[in-house]
Amino acid sequence: MRKIAKIIFNTLSTLSLKKIIKLLSLVLPHPLFAILSFYATIKSFTLAQKHFPKTNSNDGIGNAFRHALWCCLIMMYCCKISSPEKSLKWCKKMTDLHEELFPNELLQTQMDLHNNKVGMNLFMELLPGIHRQFFETGFFTDFLLKKTKTAAVLRHPDENHGNELVYLE
């Protein structure tokens, strides 16, 4: 936990004042969503480290897994206190802002945005079959671990890989 706190502090310390204000303008009006999203961030990071110790923080398959799981968990936690529609809208805003605040190369950004969308789609696909109050982390972890077996390498920003996870070589 101390390691995660250090990573978060170091990451936030790299932000300019303008970016901090942009982040605060998103999280202050929705403090519960922000807290739940923060917890989802820690949980997804921890699970990705566990399952993909070598590729969870680079452009590999572990990163693809982490981004998709992150979105599933944000939506799962937020749906426990709000509607799926509001949770989806929040998740999209939060994860898109993450890509804006911490910019990458074009292909890395496309990969992250695509995998975020895969996670949001997975949650919405599972939603009709399970009451949102009964979702558990394991539902998404198991499903996404299977999806890592069919993940595709993203070579060009315009490629369309549908609902498959993508990663960079």
Side-chain angles (χ1 to χ4, degrees), residues 72-90:
C72 287
L73 295 181
I74 289 171
M75 292 190 62
M76 178 181 79
Y77 296 135
C78 291
C79 266
K80 295 192 185 291
I81 63 164
S82 189
S83 71
E85 296 76 22
K86 287 180 182 176
S87 300
L88 178 61
K89 185 177 176 182
W90 165 263

Side-chain angles (χ1 to χ4, degrees), residues 52 60-61 64-65 114-115 118 142-154 160-167:
F52 300 95
I61 194 69
F65 171 83
H114 175 84
N115 291 325
V118 169
D142 295 344
F143 193 90
L144 290 170
L145 285 171
K146 289 177 189 167
K147 274 186 129 8
T148 63
K149 306 293 184 221
T150 60
V153 175
L154 183 65
N160 181 359
H161 290 282
N163 216 21
E164 294 299 319
L165 294 174
V166 296
Y167 64 101

